Amino acid sequence: MNDAYLRLIDRLKHRYLIGSVQGLLGWDEQVNLPPDSADFRAEQMATIAGLEHAAASDPQIGTLLAELGGAFADLDQDCQVVVREARQDFDRVTKLPAEFVEEKARHSSAAYHAWTKARTDREFAPYAPFIEKHLELAKREAEYQGWGDRPYDYAIDLHDPGFSAEVIDQLFAELKMGLIPLVKKIEAAAAANKTVSPLHGFPVDAQRSFLEEVTAKLGFDYGRGRIDVSPHPFCEGSGADVRMTTRFQEDDPLDSLFSAIHEAGHGLYEQGLPLADHATALGQHAGMAMHESQSRMWENQVSRSRAFWRHFESRFREFFGAQLDGVSSDQLYREINAVRPTLIRVDSDEVHYNLHIILRFELEKKLFSGELAVKDLPEAWNDSCEEILGCRPTHDGEGVLQDVHWSGGAFGYFPSYCLGNMIAAQNWDAVRREMPDLESDFERGKFSRLLNWLRLNIHQQGKSRPALERVEIVTKAPLSPRSLLAYLEERYGSLYN
Ligand SMILES: [Zn+2]
């Protein structure tokens, strides 16, 4: 093996390990941090962020990459992937002046606090200058990277390499056209069968035991991961040590369960990436949309299916016999797939969810093009909400102030959620073409055939190709919203005729 290549891997591993410590501290901050230790943690985080930045911009990496660039054609395919991606990372890190990175970090912290206050006060105006500044920073960052003429594309590319506003625009336009009439039909049918949740008083300890049993059966390896509690569920870490979270409410056992299954989907992807290659592109995920496609497939296509509940319902009733007394199988299944429109994205059912994302994407595009001024965001948000979702927020807390993302300058992130839904549905079609009897596995509590298929086709491929190419290889068709529309029609059509 080329000596320069081995030394490069060594440097990348150093950076990856520091990054993993940073991730662990971040997880701990949201799960375990004592209330008065936040200032100390902020200092720890800033220190480790500085170390990570130094490791990522280590001049030795630049020297080694220059050396390897001269011999690029002699490297085998895997090594080429590693060097190509390391080159891009190194360029991106080193093109940003240190003062800019610090300014952005400082501003994000201030903007986060401004956002929490604005959301509590339901008042957008004092928060607006923070978004304006983030927008300015995002445009400056794109300029440093040579994307000055396409700053929104740069923001998207950071999360989902290979995607652009134009590509997403086409996908979303087609999705929106099919989805709005479908949603109207489902809403009309759901209104005719209007129900309130019959699920109440589920002890948290039993909820926890049940969801751990379910996620372990799906294939999540608790020897290399764990699940804890945080206000907003998330998944952190790599396959060597995955930290997931969920949240519990006694009257909503399905929220903790499906949040846990969703995060376990992310965890299964991380655990399936080649363990020996976590420090390089060969062992890293192929973008947020691909990541989200994994969590969504386990959460929706698999775990909200009839077949899944034919297996797990009896076990669920063993845990919660008293609470489920008088709740029929049909009622339970309807509750699992309940369609109830809401103004809040994170509370949305899977039918409405994509509309929440389309709304955000359209607003972000206008913010970056200058067509929309930040101060006019609340009005624009409410108007789009009415147009796309058919309801209007009564205050900004349930409108433009509901999401944390923009306070951290995370523009271009929202589309990943919806693209993930599209990829999940298209992969789901592909796997069922190969294994038409796949769902009969679920009825027997078996998920290994599906997991192995995902391992082989997606997880073990790391970041060797951009997600759009990977989807085309795996499903033998370019990414399109057609599978997602067909899936929604099939599942909710059968529920609501
Ligand atoms: Zn997710």
Side-chain angles (χ1 to χ4, degrees):
M1 184 73 75
N2 184 319
D3 180 55
Y5 182 79
L6 292 177
R7 280 188 291 146
L8 175 70
I9 299 296
D10 185 59
R11 293 293 82 205
L12 296 178
K13 190 162 181 196
H14 179 63
R15 181 206 175 167
Y16 156 71
L17 287 172
I18 295 175
S20 71
V21 175
Q22 198 178 9
L24 198 59
L25 276 182
W27 164 83
D28 181 74
E29 186 171 16
Q30 293 192 54
V31 172
N32 293 315
L33 197 69
D36 297 334
S37 306
D39 290 348
F40 180 55
R41 179 53 49 90
E43 275 186 64
Q44 291 175 311
M45 294 289 273
T47 303
I48 200 102
L51 289 174
E52 204 272 341
H53 183 76
S57 53
D58 180 352
Q60 267 194 65
I61 295 181
T63 311
L64 292 166
L65 284 170
E67 198 177 313
L68 288 160
F72 192 76
D74 303 331
L75 298 170
D76 73 24
Q77 219 176 354
D78 279 356
C79 297
Q80 286 187 352
V81 168
V82 170
V83 171
R84 186 191 70 212
E85 293 296 319
R87 171 92 258 166
Q88 198 195 37
D89 280 354
F90 185 75
D91 285 348
R92 285 201 168 164
V93 171
T94 51
K95 275 181 186 164
L96 294 181
E99 312 83 69
F100 175 83
V101 176
E102 276 167 36
E103 187 183 355
K104 189 175 168 184
R106 252 197 325 274
H107 181 66
S108 294
S109 169
Y112 175 76
H113 292 293
W115 169 71
T116 52
K117 183 166 182 342
R119 197 171 67 151
T120 312
D121 298 347
R122 300 175 176 181
E123 207 187 338
F124 180 76
Y127 173 54
F130 291 89
I131 302 191
E132 273 161 14
K133 170 85 179 175
H134 258 317
L135 204 54
E136 188 250 313
L137 289 169
K139 288 181 180 172
R140 234 161 78 202
E141 181 170 338
E143 212 148 287
Y144 286 129
Q145 302 289 359
W147 292 62
D149 54 337
R150 295 192 297 145
Y152 189 43
D153 281 347
Y154 173 73
I156 291 168
D157 194 80
L158 278 179
H159 308 292
D160 286 304
F163 284 90
S164 65
E166 196 188 342
V167 169
I168 297 172
D169 228 353
Q170 283 172 8
L171 292 168
F172 283 10
E174 193 184 338
L175 177 64
K176 193 175 164 185
M177 222 163 56
L179 195 53
I180 289 182
L182 179 63
V183 165
K184 290 218 167 92
K185 268 197 291 183
I186 297 172
E187 272 177 1
N193 299 281
K194 208 168 182 167
T195 53
V196 288
S197 170
L199 309 179
H200 304 287
F202 286 64
V204 165
D205 284 349
Q207 285 190 44
R208 189 187 178 105
S209 303
F210 181 67
L211 66 81
E212 283 186 357
E213 188 176 310
V214 170
T215 46
K217 252 195 172 171
L218 296 180
F220 185 80
D221 178 1
Y222 278 97
R224 289 190 285 149
R226 52 181 289 136
I227 189 158
D228 292 274
V229 177
S230 70
H232 294 282
F234 67 95
C235 179
E236 170 62 56
S238 69
D241 181 357
V242 178
R243 304 299 172 104
M244 310 184 289
T245 68
T246 187
R247 59 184 172 194
F248 293 101
Q249 297 166 70
E250 291 207 334
D251 290 341
D252 198 353
L254 299 177
D255 180 58
S256 64
L257 176 66
F258 285 102
S259 296
I261 293 173
H262 178 99
E263 301 309 334
H266 285 301
L268 285 167
Y269 186 12
E270 290 293 333
Q271 289 184 338
L273 292 165
L275 190 59
D277 299 310
H278 281 170
T280 76
L282 297 175
Q284 291 167 355
H285 66 78
M288 292 321 297
M290 189 59 96
H291 228 304
E292 198 62 15
S293 76
Q294 301 305 294
S295 55
R296 297 288 171 148
M297 186 194 280
W298 288 106
E299 177 192 353
N300 293 329
Q301 276 86 359
V302 176
S303 302
R304 293 185 198 274
S305 68
R306 286 264 189 212
F308 180 95
W309 283 94
R310 275 190 199 111
H311 176 74
F312 280 111
E313 185 183 337
S314 56
R315 193 71 185 124
F316 194 49
R317 287 183 187 276
E318 276 173 42
F319 273 94
F320 305 107
Q323 291 79 6
L324 291 166
D325 193 27
V327 179
S328 70
S329 297
D330 245 22
Q331 260 178 303
L332 178 62
Y333 186 65
R334 271 177 185 269
E335 195 49 38
I336 286 160
N337 290 288
V339 175
R340 297 188 181 108
T342 163
L343 289 161
I344 307 296
R345 176 183 62 87
V346 295
D347 295 337
S348 176
D349 55 71
E350 65 168 331
V351 176
H352 288 91
Y353 192 91
N354 300 296
L355 296 176
H356 287 267
I357 299 305
I358 291 171
L359 177 154
R360 286 154 177 77
F361 169 70
E362 289 179 354
L363 293 176
E364 283 190 341
K365 254 190 339 182
K366 288 184 189 163
L367 282 176
F368 273 82
S369 72
E371 197 183 320
L372 175 64
V374 171
K375 70 173 171 47
D376 299 327
L377 251 179
E379 199 62 18
W381 182 289
N382 295 348
D383 290 346
S384 303
C385 213
E386 210 163 349
E387 183 222 318
I388 298 177
L389 285 158
C391 43
R392 194 176 183 89
T394 55
H395 58 81
D396 291 340
E398 56 182 23
V400 67
L401 290 171
Q402 65 182 273
D403 295 308
V404 66
H405 303 58
W406 291 340
S407 77
F411 301 108
Y413 188 103
F414 285 119
S416 311
Y417 296 117
C418 181
L419 296 168
N421 282 332
M422 282 185 206
I423 298 174
Q426 199 161 317
N427 283 343
W428 180 242
D429 275 349
V431 67
R432 286 189 309 168
R433 271 198 306 273
E434 272 180 49
M435 308 170 195
D437 62 337
L438 179 66
E439 283 176 278
S440 68
D441 285 16
F442 305 166
E443 295 188 15
R444 290 176 291 116
K446 299 269 178 258
F447 302 93
S448 56
R449 267 207 303 168
L450 173 60
L451 183 57
N452 289 338
W453 186 90
L454 293 169
R455 290 267 189 264
L456 184 72
N457 288 289
I458 293 161
H459 304 177
Q460 285 166 18
Q461 307 302 327
K463 206 201 283 188
S464 57
R465 305 261 190 134
L468 275 170
E469 274 181 42
R470 178 65 54 207
V471 169
E472 195 158 348
I473 293 170
V474 172
T475 68
K476 304 189 173 49
L479 181 61
S480 111
R482 283 188 285 275
S483 291
L484 177 59
L485 286 166
Y487 155 75
L488 291 172
E489 183 111 42
E490 183 191 322
R491 171 150 306 166
Y492 292 91
S494 77
L495 265 167
Y496 293 108
N497 303 315

